[in-house]
Amino acid sequence: MPSIRDIVGYVETNDWAFTQGHRLCPGCNAPMVANWATLAAKSLGYEPVVGAATGCLEVSSTIYPFTSWNVPYIHNAFENVAATISGAESAYRSLLNRGKIKNDKIKFIAFAGDGGTYDIGLQSLSGAIERGHDFVYILYDNEGYMNTGNQRSGSTPIGADSTTEPVGKAISGKLQLKKSIVDIIAGHEGVYAATAVTSEPWDFIRKMQSALEFKGPAFISILAPCVRFWRIPDDSGPEVTKLAVETKYWPLWEYNMGVYKVTKKPKIFKPVKDYVTKLGRYNKLMKRPDANEILEELQNYVDAKWDRLLALEEITKDKPIRTKI
């Protein structure tokens, strides 16, 4: 795979696939995700074809008659980007097999937020993965329906303040733990799946390269803060995701056909409270009498998840990575 130096050289001499002119909020981390993902594809010599579900990234980058996408692109409904990209991939594979297309360096990439992935688009995504389509699905996880005003999603963490589950006297914000989406995807077996954060661009690009080279469905979930509804400074997104890794809130790991690998192991972990108190969306929670109880539940959860990951890595470390089911 290309080295970091090769990728930097590519950036200096080529056009970006995702360009300037979008209307995403100042400090939004989603443009980084789009840039890095398509850069990884081009650095490997692939021509990306992009699909995007309705959401922040889509509505802010394709305001008719303008677009920030410098590659073939299709917008589809909130719930069906996986179906759309798998249909495009099937058509391409058919044309390639029949000799109608000679270019075998086209790669299909889907982008969606957490609402279109954890919730409304999960059935479409699961079906596309089970059928074995060759595509990469990128989830930019900002932990809520941010495009429509900070409604809670299956990704919203416990205790977070949202417009549909606000912190107040009656309830302590989101009552449920965050859905473990990467574990759900890994449960499909014949897949590459990974987590990433915007504070670790080279980790993400390496995983993106692995996903592109994987022959079949691949999935990467990258924590990408919404500065507006997380209520953090515009320039603090990567800093916050770094803290998410250091507190075990968002471990960095990958799953490749049955083999687990933790890709970053901090020497010293910080308490999850350090992460939570950095985010303004937890300010109201911290004023409640049950705040410490909720934080203890979250700490126990992230500790158990981390221990489980280490155990899975240990169990599978000597297993050969399968090439097929």
Side-chain angles (χ1 to χ4, degrees):
M1 291 185 180
S3 66
I4 292 175
R5 180 177 295 179
D6 292 334
I7 293 172
V8 171
Y10 179 89
V11 172
E12 292 174 346
T13 57
N14 293 269
D15 291 333
W16 289 88
F18 184 78
T19 65
Q20 70 275 13
H22 57 75
R23 274 75 156 183
L24 287 154
C25 296
C28 176
N29 280 204
M32 302 180 198
V33 179
N35 270 324
W36 297 340
T38 49
L39 171 62
K42 287 201 165 191
S43 72
L44 291 174
Y46 292 117
E47 295 181 25
V49 173
V50 169
T54 298
C56 289
L57 182 63
E58 176 274 319
V59 300
S60 299
S61 65
T62 55
I63 300 173
Y64 184 82
F66 305 104
T67 180
S68 291
W69 294 95
N70 199 26
V71 292
Y73 167 93
I74 183 169
H75 161 232
N76 48 256
F78 202 168
E79 73 279 4
N80 64 346
V81 67
T84 300
I85 208 71
S86 64
E89 185 269 344
S90 293
Y92 165 72
R93 185 159 31 88
S94 173
L95 292 169
L96 193 65
N97 290 340
R98 290 185 288 147
K100 302 290 186 179
I101 290 179
K102 304 298 182 183
N103 185 357
D104 63 353
K105 297 293 285 184
I106 294 175
K107 280 290 182 177
F108 296 85
I109 305 173
F111 291 93
D114 54 280
T117 305
Y118 283 77
D119 302 332
I120 192 171
L122 185 58
Q123 180 178 354
S124 171
L125 175 58
S126 178
I129 291 174
E130 189 276 330
R131 292 191 301 272
H133 294 282
D134 188 6
F135 69 100
V136 182
Y137 190 107
I138 306 297
L139 159 62
Y140 62 96
D141 195 342
N142 56 31
E143 299 190 324
Y145 290 85
M146 302 310 186
N147 175 45
T148 50
N150 190 31
Q151 294 86 6
R152 60 88 86 192
S153 77
S155 174
T156 307
I158 188 171
D161 188 41
S162 69
T163 53
T164 47
E165 280 190 320
V167 176
K169 292 182 179 180
I171 61 171
S172 56
K174 173 78 179 296
L175 301 176
Q176 299 81 18
L177 290 163
K178 182 184 178 84
K179 190 186 294 184
S180 191
I181 190 68
V182 185
D183 286 307
I184 293 171
I185 301 304
H188 290 72
E189 299 292 351
V191 66
Y192 173 87
T195 64
V197 287
T198 55
S199 60
E200 296 278 353
W202 301 119
D203 176 77
F204 172 69
I205 289 174
R206 184 195 66 77
K207 288 171 177 172
M208 185 66 194
Q209 290 174 333
S210 296
L212 289 159
E213 297 284 71
F214 185 82
K215 303 303 180 185
F219 178 92
I220 301 177
S221 178
I222 179 166
L223 190 63
C226 170
V227 296
R228 181 181 181 192
F229 289 121
W230 286 27
R231 301 184 182 96
I232 58 177
D234 290 353
D235 62 351
S236 67
E239 175 191 350
V240 164
T241 65
K242 182 175 184 289
L243 193 54
V245 175
E246 294 172 340
T247 58
K248 302 181 194 172
Y249 176 80
W250 191 268
L252 294 178
W253 59 283
E254 60 187 353
Y255 170 93
N256 191 340
M257 297 285 277
V259 177
Y260 289 80
K261 182 180 180 182
V262 179
T263 58
K264 189 176 182 67
K265 297 178 180 177
K267 293 181 179 179
I268 300 175
F269 284 107
K270 298 176 181 178
V272 76
K273 184 177 180 179
D274 288 4
Y275 171 69
V276 167
T277 52
K278 273 281 188 181
L279 312 181
R281 61 178 174 164
Y282 283 103
N283 287 349
K284 292 181 181 178
L285 175 70
M286 300 310 296
K287 296 175 183 178
R288 285 179 56 96
D290 60 350
N292 287 333
E293 180 182 334
I294 294 169
L295 287 176
E296 183 179 0
E297 180 181 356
L298 182 57
Q299 184 68 63
N300 291 337
Y301 172 74
V302 300
D303 288 344
K305 286 274 290 183
W306 178 254
D307 291 343
R308 175 180 174 273
L309 272 177
L310 293 181
L312 288 168
E313 181 183 48
E314 180 65 24
I315 291 168
T316 62
K317 68 178 182 180
D318 296 323
K319 304 288 185 182
I321 296 176
R322 303 190 307 269
T323 56
K324 62 181 179 179
I325 296 296

